[in-house]
Amino acid sequence: MDSRMPQPRHIVIIGGGVIGTTTAYYLTRHPSYNTAIHHITLLEATSLAAAASGKAGGLLGLWAYPSCLVPLSYHLHAELAAEHNGAERWGYRRLGCGQLTASVRKKVARGSAQAKRKSRSSLGVAKQEEQEDDDDEKDQKDGNGDGEGQVEWQKLPKQDEKARSLLRDSVLPKDLDWINGSLVRDYAEMGLPGFTETAQVHPYQFTTSMAALARQGGTEIRVGAKVTGIGLNKSSRAVDSVSFVDRATGQTSTLPGVTDVVVAAGPWTGTLWPRTKVEGLRAHSVVFAADVSPYAVFTDISLPPDWVPAHRAARGETRRRHRGNVDPEIYARPGGEVYACGEPDASAPLPETADLVQCDDAQCDDLVAYVGAVSPVLGAAGVAARQACYLPRHVRFGKESAPLVGRTAVDGLWVASGHTCWGIQNGPATGKLMAEFIFDGEARSADVAELDPRRYKV
């Protein structure tokens, strides 16, 4: 047989999130893809975009990381939107992006400033406000009592040092009118042309659209199919089968004749193939029903020590959960939505499947309160969703490492996972590169040698 002749392939993708669906999409668009001899099966344990891919923020930035994926993926997002009407189908658009520092004064936070109003009659307004700011700053330094039962806010790893270096001092934009400007001390916008473009998609809509386009291209998609094992040929040690359970019927099935397996199962990647050391970290988010100007805002909010969210005060609590500053991220979306995400937490282990993820309503309520403290518009808005998901992290020696994209030491086994909070941003590049790995034998669109799973003996 001529070795140059196209060979039959049965490619199985494990995971129906953004990485799995974009991989399926680009496989069906690869010049070597031939429906007569190539079959693609995507297996998803629950439903499409059921985990982080449906509950993420959907932010896209040229300032994201890792740098070997970002430029290609940002360009591909624009290309996909232009080709498939992404503005209408999944809310693709450019938007402003900045970071603000805000201080919520005691009189604002407590909602009871009668004594201070009296004192203002004898002091100038400006002088009184200056004194209040000094008092707040002193209180923050002194802390709130013994702090028992309180924790420091844990930042999401969205902005690295390189991204922060791209911030440029700026006044609060006039159309960023849903933030209380009187509380803002500083505002910095992404300011270096060519490096700081920011855009967005609606992650659920984008992921399910990619799945629909992949299905149109010939991909077979099975939901409710929980993978239980990846079979290896006894002699060659190459992949040759995938077993899964149909969760609706409980029936176990095996796909034979498999030539390639792409593990793109997000935080469950480490469960399926432990050598990847990909694990999950829970993060909460809320969605407000509000139509506001298009901005992504990173915050650093200073609250008075005795400020307590209304939902906790109603329960008789005298302290909030966090001491010190809080840093929620807020992204306006088209369609009358505003997404806000909070800190990650390690209090709940990764469940067996995405539909078993538990949402801590108290954490979501805290997030709503913190956002409302600097945004009266969002403070008065309805909350359309309270949700939680697990970010897929590639962890080595206790530290977060770059994602894994490429072949493993096992013939025919590929990994595309560990993208943390940049999975939506880097999904298209990952999918395109995986298609090149499988059909061309190498990555052609970008140099991603630093993401090679074999560096870690996966």
Side-chain angles (χ1 to χ4, degrees):
M1 181 185 298
D2 189 340
S3 61
R4 295 171 298 177
M5 292 290 292
Q7 300 298 311
R9 302 184 88 141
H10 183 184
I11 304 164
V12 176
I13 301 168
I14 304 174
V18 67
I19 305 300
T21 58
T22 53
T23 296
Y25 170 86
Y26 281 105
L27 283 168
T28 64
R29 264 63 180 180
H30 193 279
S32 297
Y33 175 64
N34 183 344
T35 55
I37 60 173
H38 298 142
H39 186 73
I40 304 168
T41 304
L42 187 151
L43 301 176
E44 163 55 44
T46 53
S47 57
L48 294 171
S53 294
K55 298 178 175 65
L59 198 64
L60 317 176
L62 272 176
W63 43 271
Y65 57 86
S67 58
C68 61
L69 283 178
V70 168
L72 172 63
S73 210
Y74 193 85
H75 168 75
L76 290 175
H77 267 292
E79 192 176 86
L80 288 168
E83 182 177 355
H84 300 295
N85 191 21
E88 293 294 327
R89 293 186 68 173
W90 55 78
Y92 176 85
R93 68 176 180 182
R94 301 279 182 87
L95 78 167
C97 180
Q99 178 171 302
L100 63 82
T101 300
S103 293
V104 178
R105 299 188 184 98
K106 292 178 183 178
K107 63 183 178 63
V108 175
R110 292 173 184 168
S112 174
Q114 189 174 7
K116 290 186 177 179
R117 290 195 192 99
K118 291 180 180 179
S119 69
R120 291 175 79 149
S121 63
S122 58
L123 289 173
V125 173
K127 185 176 180 181
Q128 178 66 19
E129 289 184 345
E130 181 179 351
Q131 182 63 49
E132 290 167 2
D133 285 344
D134 290 343
D135 290 345
D136 287 348
E137 186 174 350
K138 182 179 183 299
D139 285 345
Q140 285 290 346
K141 290 179 179 178
D142 291 344
N144 180 21
D146 58 13
E148 184 178 355
Q150 291 182 296
V151 296
E152 298 291 344
W153 179 277
Q154 303 298 313
K155 290 181 71 69
L156 280 168
K158 186 75 72 159
Q159 288 179 307
D160 60 8
E161 289 298 328
K162 183 178 179 181
R164 284 189 286 273
S165 71
L166 298 174
L167 293 167
R168 181 178 64 186
D169 291 343
S170 172
V171 297
L172 194 67
K174 290 183 178 179
D175 60 339
L176 186 48
D177 53 3
W178 44 276
I179 295 291
N180 185 347
S182 69
L183 305 179
V184 176
R185 290 186 171 183
D186 302 289
Y187 180 80
E189 63 181 6
M190 288 293 181
L192 297 183
F195 294 91
T196 55
E197 282 189 17
T198 306
Q200 69 181 163
V201 297
H202 190 293
Y204 178 84
Q205 295 169 3
F206 177 73
T207 301
T208 54
S209 293
M210 288 294 101
L213 292 167
R215 184 182 279 114
Q216 291 174 13
T219 299
E220 178 187 2
I221 297 177
R222 300 188 186 187
V223 296
K226 181 179 181 297
V227 173
T228 55
I230 300 170
L232 305 181
N233 184 286
K234 292 182 179 179
S235 58
S236 66
R237 300 296 295 170
V239 298
D240 66 0
S241 65
V242 174
S243 300
F244 65 93
V245 173
D246 185 322
R247 297 181 68 201
T249 65
Q251 181 179 353
T252 299
S253 301
T254 298
L255 298 176
V258 173
T259 58
D260 301 270
V261 176
V262 180
V263 183
W268 290 275
T269 297
T271 303
L272 288 168
W273 204 254
R275 277 184 283 177
T276 61
K277 297 191 182 300
V278 174
E279 59 187 44
L281 180 66
R282 189 172 68 161
H284 286 80
S285 58
V286 297
V287 179
F288 296 93
D291 191 3
V292 301
S293 54
Y295 280 91
V297 180
F298 295 86
T299 71
D300 182 359
I301 304 170
S302 174
L303 297 167
D306 56 355
W307 184 89
V308 181
H311 66 280
R312 292 188 179 273
R315 296 199 297 263
E317 298 181 30
T318 59
R319 290 190 179 96
R320 62 178 184 269
R321 179 170 180 262
H322 300 95
R323 60 174 175 261
N325 291 17
V326 294
D327 307 317
E329 301 169 12
I330 314 169
Y331 314 145
R333 285 176 175 169
E337 287 187 1
V338 179
Y339 173 95
C341 55
E343 62 179 347
D345 78 278
S347 62
L350 182 71
E352 191 172 344
T353 51
D355 53 335
L356 299 178
V357 172
Q358 297 294 314
C359 177
D360 183 344
D361 286 338
Q363 289 199 46
C364 291
D365 289 339
D366 285 340
L367 180 56
V368 170
Y370 297 149
V371 171
V374 295
S375 174
V377 172
L378 298 182
V383 178
R386 291 173 169 83
Q387 56 196 17
C389 63
Y390 285 77
L391 304 176
R393 302 195 308 159
H394 172 214
V395 178
R396 295 282 168 173
F397 307 109
K399 295 183 179 181
E400 187 175 297
S401 298
L404 300 172
V405 179
R407 67 176 75 246
T408 71
V410 177
D411 191 21
L413 180 65
W414 312 84
V415 173
S417 189
H419 294 72
T420 60
C421 51
W422 286 117
I424 301 296
Q425 148 67 39
N426 291 323
T430 302
K432 184 175 181 65
L433 292 167
M434 291 308 302
E436 293 173 354
F437 275 125
I438 290 173
F439 280 127
D440 300 327
E442 62 181 355
R444 294 183 172 179
S445 297
D447 180 359
V448 290
E450 64 185 88
L451 311 183
D452 191 341
R454 293 171 299 180
R455 292 182 61 200
Y456 305 95
K457 299 180 180 180
V458 173

